[in-house]
Amino acid sequence: MRARKLRAGSALLVAVALGLAGGTAPASAADYERLLNGTFSAGTFDPWWAGSGTTGHVTGGEFCTDVPGGTANGYDALSGQNGVPFEAGQQYTLTFDAHATTAQQISAVAGEAVSPYRQISRTDLTVTPATQHYTVTFTSTLDFPAAGNGQLAFWFGGQAAANTVCLDNISLIGGVVPPGGLPPTSGIRVNQESYAPGLPKRVTLISDSTAAQTWTLKNSAGTAVATGQTRPRGADAASGENVHEIDFSAYDTVGTGYTLSVGSETSFPFDISTAGPQKLRYDSLAFFYHQRSGIAIDAAYVGAAYARPAGHINVAPNQGDDNVPCRSDLNCGYTLDVRGGWYDAGDHGKYVVNGGIAAWELLDEYERAVRLGDASAFGDGKLAIPERANGVPDLLDEARWEVDFLLSMQVPDGKPNAGMVHHKIHDAQWTSLPTRPDQDSQPRRLSPPSTAATLNMAAVAAQASRLWRTVDPAYSAKLLAASEKAYAAAKANPAVLADPNDGTGGGTYSDNTVTDEFYWAAAELFATTGKSAYRTDVTGSALYRGKSFTTHGFDWASTGALGDITLALVPTDLPAADVTAIRTAITTTADSHLAQLATMGYPAPYRTADGSYEWGSNGLVANNGVVLALAYDFTKQDKYRDGAFAAMDYLLGRNPANYSYVSGHGDQPVRNVHHRFWAHELDASLPTAPPGALSGGPNSGLQDPTAARLLTGCAPQRCFVDDIQAYSVNEVAINWNSALAWLSGWVAEKTSSTVDTTAPVAPGTPAVSAVTSGGATVTWPAATDPESGVKNYDVVRVAGSARTVLATVTGTTATLTGLSPSTAYTVVVVARNGAGLTSADSPSAQFTTQPATPAGGCAVTYSANTWNGGFTAAVTVKNTGTTAWTNWKLGFTFPGTQKVTQGWSATWAQSGAAVTAASLPWNGALAPGQSASIGFNGSYTGTNANPAAFSVDGRACG
């Protein structure tokens, strides 16, 4: 996985909560290097800093400081490095090379970075124009933990004239505590939240023993309730430990506060319960409300500690997101109102390519639940958000906050590159920690459009259009129009790549390959519209049929798998064999994950070519958990379900760091994530991370000064520290949390707290209106179901003992079509809950359809090409009247079991046997004598007879 962002660290590095290096400290000093970047070989002096009034730069491979003249004290002009660990009573040797333009005195000072600025050692030296090598030896009188307030500084002030002093090859050797600090708090690693009844319950023990050990499970009262033998596994490469496995799956008694012990080791407490996953499902989604830009975060939804004013709405000191110009070097000639959206991570940037995958994953979580699971869990009123009572599923409401932002980043009509989408918007310079969003005074700037950003917006807008089609048709149409415009613009500009050097004030998110984004966007547009052009782009792609699925996993820079997940979920007219191939690619990848998990001491579905862990590894673990979950959805094989749960175990504490990587969940959760508002570690008046935020997790690259200082030499899964300054391992991001939200929602669904055996209460008496010769509208009072919620309703015709479902809807109104003229109908309504149970019949309602309208004004031809179990129908609608049509709606009733599976050139809908096809904007206008050709693919059982009669706009056709 490519790093999400790289940036300069801040000058002050503060306390670390818990070190992670294992083992006992050596009895005598080793050659532990305590400084970072002492050779400046990479051309940067980070994490060294130059003090106020001075200017630091790397010249000729040396760290040079331009020093002003006329200062009174040595410390009036200085440079240094913070977070240097010192141990009282231990000896240190400082060596460095130095020279200056003009000879002068400098001081090498070891001590404290904050008030009262206590000193450990000060050595005054003279530097000359000739480079000299210096050695200083001292014994520390103070204790500063790793990444604490220890400091090494060079004082240059107190000189009359300006000067330039250059340093190189700076080294500080000493101390006996290895980098990383203290050993972990427990040698037994569990899912610190909960294990699900009826599912595997596995734990990791650190032990060098080659013999099985006895484990004991105790309840909250300390009473032993189960015991068994560990399974030695030996050396584990990813953790660098020797481990055993504990399996207590046979114990299923629901309870809280269980612990496991082996010898003197005792685990953190955990539950056997379904409550934890249910809470995490909503906490992980609450993250996105917390991250909203452009709206006050209300205590009514998050509590007083996390409430804050709206950020970036043009209230001082903000400069606002309502009128944002392009970067000064672009001269785009316009500004955009890009308020709203989610802050990407711990900074205040908003990035289309990361917002794209995050919004998609939330929308896919909903779409998957609608098609394969229980969408009632995400219905109106389920999330703590302001929109919770607007009649729209809350998960769609939350996603819309980002989707609307993505649309706002599109280049306006009439401007160069119209239809393309700007890559990102963020501060002109990085803000410091902490900075609450409403206190951010930096100017905001748009980066140039990119092909990747344009395709992200096209994909997500097409997906959202599909999901909003019945919720808000006007909004759905707006989304589709923006999506199609963006896709066309991307095809016209297929290689406009984001600048990898555009990393000042925000992450670069550069991506040199956009083949995957093209495939993803085409798949979403095809699934939404069925248009042949998008179908061609999908089937003609080298990524077609699941080629994007790998054991590394999908992320913001690798999005081809997102298109395939949609094609595996959403019915289209693709050949069944091709859809099967996509699902097989998912299960094959899942099988590879399972094979890997079986070899790991701390099972996590994560793999790189060299075994290292990368920036945002936890996000990839969660996304690979999604693949395992989908494999279970498609096959119902328990092994895939168990693999997905194992991924969650890892994230919630069964890992070498011994942390739950999800804040607020588990006994040792991350608290000090890298974030500008959740910054309690730096400012006690600010909160720690709220429940449900996923830390980025282990990163072998150690791409920030704090991680580099604390974790040098770490085994891949141990490269983690819970410190706000360690942004390369402990930042949060919307794309990682969207992966957690998807996976935790699925896990919650599979650990439903109770088995619902109670049917819904019957709906109220239906009312019938708008009766025509072929249709009617039926409305009824809602049913209730407190356990699993009402999922949908059937409107049923009752004729003696015969019952026919006329319509199935999710709301409390159904429009019936395809009825017979001059016919009496008796209808009842039946409710169905999330567990699939149906209610008793509602009271009945009776009505009689109007007489048939004489044929005339329209003609319909219908032909079907039938194969085993399926068919393709070609339909022609002709205006045979004397008046032009501006739009039209075809209706007919299947005589058998036929179902429309995918239609084109019209908006197709089916309720029971009744089918309608409404014209599209481009074929609705038909002058007398003109016709429109439309069609669909269908399925059937038995026989496939043609419909007997057709109507247009309710009038029977000849």
Side-chain angles (χ1 to χ4, degrees), residues 665-736:
H665 288 260
D667 268 56
Q668 183 165 275
V670 292
R671 294 177 173 85
N672 303 308
V673 300
H674 181 84
H675 198 274
R676 279 160 176 72
F677 176 48
W678 308 331
H680 184 80
E681 190 175 5
L682 300 180
D683 182 342
S685 70
L686 296 176
T688 58
L694 177 66
S695 168
N699 175 8
S700 305
L702 307 182
Q703 291 152 296
D704 68 77
T706 298
R709 187 186 310 284
L710 294 175
L711 302 170
T712 297
C714 55
Q717 283 187 339
R718 294 176 66 86
C719 295
F720 177 80
V721 62
D722 182 28
D723 189 282
I724 193 171
Q725 299 284 7
Y727 51 82
S728 69
V729 300
N730 203 32
E731 191 165 18
V732 295
I734 53 177
N735 62 314
W736 303 333

Side-chain angles (χ1 to χ4, degrees), residues 241-253:
E241 297 168 348
N242 290 307
V243 299
H244 292 215
E245 182 180 82
I246 297 171
D247 189 336
F248 66 104
S249 302
Y251 188 84
D252 257 344
T253 302

Side-chain angles (χ1 to χ4, degrees), residues 575-771:
D578 289 1
V579 176
T580 298
I582 293 171
R583 292 189 172 191
T584 298
I586 292 173
T587 56
T588 299
T589 304
D591 284 332
S592 183
H593 286 315
L594 294 178
Q596 178 207 19
L597 295 180
T599 69
M600 301 181 73
Y602 298 92
Y606 180 86
R607 191 178 309 174
T608 57
D610 61 0
S612 65
Y613 272 53
E614 300 173 341
W615 195 312
S617 63
N618 281 345
L620 281 167
V621 169
N623 276 334
N624 290 330
V626 169
V627 173
L628 286 159
L630 289 170
Y632 177 80
D633 282 341
F634 296 145
T635 68
K636 295 301 184 289
Q637 293 185 44
D638 289 350
K639 63 179 181 177
Y640 299 123
R641 177 201 62 199
D642 297 348
F645 274 77
M648 190 63 79
D649 288 346
Y650 172 86
L651 296 176
L652 289 171
R654 190 189 176 192
N655 57 65
N658 208 25
Y659 276 96
S660 166
Y661 289 125
V662 183
S663 58
H665 288 260
D667 268 56
Q668 183 165 275
V670 292
R671 294 177 173 85
N672 303 308
V673 300
H674 181 84
H675 198 274
R676 279 160 176 72
F677 176 48
W678 308 331
H680 184 80
E681 190 175 5
L682 300 180
D683 182 342
S685 70
L686 296 176
T688 58
L694 177 66
S695 168
N699 175 8
S700 305
L702 307 182
Q703 291 152 296
D704 68 77
T706 298
R709 187 186 310 284
L710 294 175
L711 302 170
T712 297
C714 55
Q717 283 187 339
R718 294 176 66 86
C719 295
F720 177 80
V721 62
D722 182 28
D723 189 282
I724 193 171
Q725 299 284 7
Y727 51 82
S728 69
V729 300
N730 203 32
E731 191 165 18
V732 295
I734 53 177
N735 62 314
W736 303 333
N737 243 80
S738 63
L740 175 67
W742 197 110
L743 182 60
S744 63
W746 186 91
V747 165
E749 180 184 286
K750 302 308 175 190
T751 54
S752 179
S753 57
T754 59
V755 177
D756 188 356
T757 58
T758 305
V761 174
T765 303
V768 182
S769 61
V771 178

Side-chain angles (χ1 to χ4, degrees), residues 159 344 800:
Q159 308 296 316
D344 178 71

